[in-house]
């Protein structure tokens, strides 16, 4: 179910977009938003671009990387996808990391990884000759585009928790350290990454529990570990599972334990139910702005109505 909720008045729209590729899929991954275009994937190899305003969609061509490895006992697997805007070419890009795993390896880390980028400017994939400095791992609601780069939760070769970023302009990776105050490998706590007030914000909260508190850290100077600052703690709140997105400067969308999306106001500390229902722990959310940009690239055409939606 794809839905739009307008930021002014919380008006609700069910989205009628032809995503025939995904009618047989049990779940979708919402990668991000760029210039009115939304990128979705089926967690494997298929990627589609969609403009909800124009109802235009496009399935990206197949990967330029081989579906096999020259080393017989390695199994390739898409380990990360990212979507964002390249300010140099003024076009959107998709980045894909394919990791190669040994069949019986007990290390928990891939043997090696390869990287490719799809650009709307060229309409094709290309492989990058770069080393991936950390290994992308799953953490709920973590993948975020900010400051020209896409960010993932990752583990480096020394098994430290880090943020791995890929810059869409220079097509290079960067490793950003986590706050030093975090307990390493505390699997009872979740980490989620968002953009809040023009900065990267890290939210720490319990994986389980009837009542949950949400600690918010902000990186005041991008890329500098010492600049991580704990800003506030939300809660404890009941019947709230996880944060989904910062919507406005003082609003954060959260998933309720009953399959309902709620909006929490940081100033008034009030929760408001939104008309979005679904299966618990299956929500994906982003802030979207209307445009008439074509998913096929070419000339950029924008409308005059830059209305904020949450999808």
């Amino acid at each position: 179910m794809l839905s739009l909720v307008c930021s002014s008045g919380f008006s609700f729209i069910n989205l009628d977009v032809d995503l025939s590729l995904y009618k047989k899929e049990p779940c979708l991954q919402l990668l991000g938003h760029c210039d009115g275009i939304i990128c979705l994937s089926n967690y494997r190899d298929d990627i589609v671009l969609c403009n909800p305003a124009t109802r235009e969609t496009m399935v990206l061509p197949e990967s330029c990387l081989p579906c096999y490895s020259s080393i017989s006992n390695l199994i390739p697997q898409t380990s990360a996808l990212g979507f964002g805007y390249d300010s140099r070419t003024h076009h959107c890009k998709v980045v894909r990391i394919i990791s190669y795993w040994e069949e019986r390896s007990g290390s928990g880390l891939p043997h090696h990884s390869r990287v490719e980028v799809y650009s709307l400017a060229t309409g094709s994939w290309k492989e990058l000759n770069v080393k991936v400095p950390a290994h992308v791992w799953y953490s709920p609601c973590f993948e975020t585009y900010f400051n020209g780069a896409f960010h993932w939760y990752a583990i480096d070769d020394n098994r430290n928790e880090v943020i791995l970023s890929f810059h869409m302009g220079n097509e290079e990776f960067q490793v950003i350290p986590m706050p030093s105050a975090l307990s390493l490998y505390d699997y009872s706590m979740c980490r989620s990454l968002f953009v809040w007030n023009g900065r990267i914000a890290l939210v720490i909260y319990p994986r389980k529990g009837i009542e949950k508190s949400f600690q918010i850290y902000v990186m005041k100077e991008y890329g500098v570990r010492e600049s991580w600052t704990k800003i506030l703690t939300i809660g404890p709140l009941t019947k709230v599972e996880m944060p989904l997105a910062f919507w406005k400067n003082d609003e954060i969308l959260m998933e309720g334990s009953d399959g309902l999306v709620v909006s929490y106001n940081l100033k008034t500390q009030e929760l408001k139910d939104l008309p979005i229902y679904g299966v618990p722990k299956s929500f994906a959310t982003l802030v979207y702005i209307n445009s008439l940009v074509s998913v096929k690239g070419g000339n950029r055409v924008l409308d005059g109505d830059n209305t904020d939606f949450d999808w």
Side-chain angles (χ1 to χ4, degrees):
M1 180 176 64
L2 306 177
S3 307
L4 294 177
V5 179
C6 185
S7 61
S8 58
F10 295 103
S11 59
F12 179 77
I13 305 170
N14 275 322
L15 197 62
D16 181 20
V17 176
D18 182 15
L19 296 175
S20 57
L21 175 67
Y22 297 99
K23 289 181 180 178
K24 64 181 185 297
E25 298 295 339
C27 54
L28 294 175
Q29 180 183 18
L30 193 57
L31 293 178
H33 158 264
C34 168
D35 251 3
I37 299 174
I38 292 171
C39 184
L40 302 103
S41 171
N42 62 357
Y43 289 86
R44 293 191 293 277
D45 301 317
D46 298 321
I47 302 171
V48 65
L49 301 180
C50 164
N51 186 326
T54 63
R55 304 300 193 262
E56 183 185 32
T57 63
M58 180 182 71
V59 180
L60 297 194
E62 293 184 359
S63 166
C64 71
L65 299 179
C67 59
Y68 59 87
S69 172
S70 58
I71 305 176
S72 60
N73 66 332
L74 294 183
I75 302 173
Q77 183 182 47
T78 298
S79 61
L81 290 165
F83 181 62
Y85 182 72
D86 179 358
S87 60
R88 299 195 303 184
T89 64
H90 303 292
H91 282 85
C92 302
K93 289 181 177 179
V94 178
V95 57
R96 185 199 326 252
I97 302 175
I98 296 181
S99 298
Y100 294 81
W101 300 81
E102 294 184 28
E103 287 183 321
R104 295 178 177 84
S105 174
S107 68
L109 297 177
H111 182 274
H112 69 278
S113 298
R114 298 171 70 174
V115 183
E116 63 180 348
V117 169
Y118 178 89
S119 173
L120 264 69
T122 62
S124 61
W125 292 96
K126 69 173 181 180
E127 182 175 6
L128 302 182
N129 184 22
V130 294
K131 182 182 184 302
V132 183
H135 310 285
V136 176
W137 226 248
Y138 172 75
S139 189
C141 298
F142 199 96
E143 299 174 351
T144 299
Y145 173 79
F146 171 72
N147 199 31
F150 199 85
H151 302 75
W152 302 272
Y153 175 79
I155 304 294
D156 67 13
D157 290 336
N158 296 318
R159 298 188 178 275
N160 296 312
E161 294 179 279
V162 297
I163 299 170
L164 177 66
S165 71
F166 177 82
H167 197 279
M168 294 294 173
N170 59 30
E171 298 181 344
E172 294 180 352
F173 286 99
Q174 179 183 356
V175 172
I176 301 173
M178 291 281 196
S180 56
L182 296 188
S183 300
L184 188 64
Y185 301 133
D186 184 355
Y187 295 111
S188 67
M189 304 296 288
C190 292
R191 290 98 160 92
S192 295
L193 195 70
F194 303 102
V195 177
W196 182 36
N197 290 331
R199 289 173 174 166
I200 285 288
L202 185 67
V203 183
I204 313 297
Y205 55 97
R207 190 175 301 275
K208 298 180 180 180
I210 298 177
E211 284 191 340
K212 294 185 177 182
S213 294
F214 301 82
Q215 304 173 52
I216 301 179
Y217 291 80
V218 168
M219 178 173 276
K220 293 188 174 181
E221 186 176 350
Y222 184 78
V224 179
R225 181 175 194 172
E226 292 73 21
S227 71
W228 281 112
T229 305
K230 184 177 178 181
I231 300 297
L232 59 89
T233 299
I234 298 174
L237 303 176
T238 59
K239 297 183 179 181
V240 173
E241 288 294 325
M242 67 178 70
L244 294 173
F246 281 93
W247 198 1
K248 308 171 186 178
N249 289 340
D250 57 351
E251 295 274 345
I252 181 170
L253 296 179
M254 311 184 86
E255 178 185 326
S257 56
D258 55 358
L260 184 72
V261 175
V262 299
S263 181
Y264 179 83
N265 188 293
L266 299 175
K267 292 182 178 179
T268 64
Q269 301 182 8
E270 293 180 347
L271 280 171
K272 180 177 182 178
D273 292 346
L274 298 185
I276 304 177
Y277 300 87
V279 179
K281 300 182 180 179
S282 69
F283 289 96
T285 309
L286 57 77
V287 176
Y288 160 78
I289 298 177
N290 265 345
S291 83
L292 298 180
V293 176
S294 172
V295 299
K296 296 178 173 60
N299 294 329
R300 299 173 66 250
V301 181
L302 296 173
D303 69 359
D305 180 20
N306 288 339
T307 305
D308 286 351
F309 288 93
D310 175 75
W311 189 3

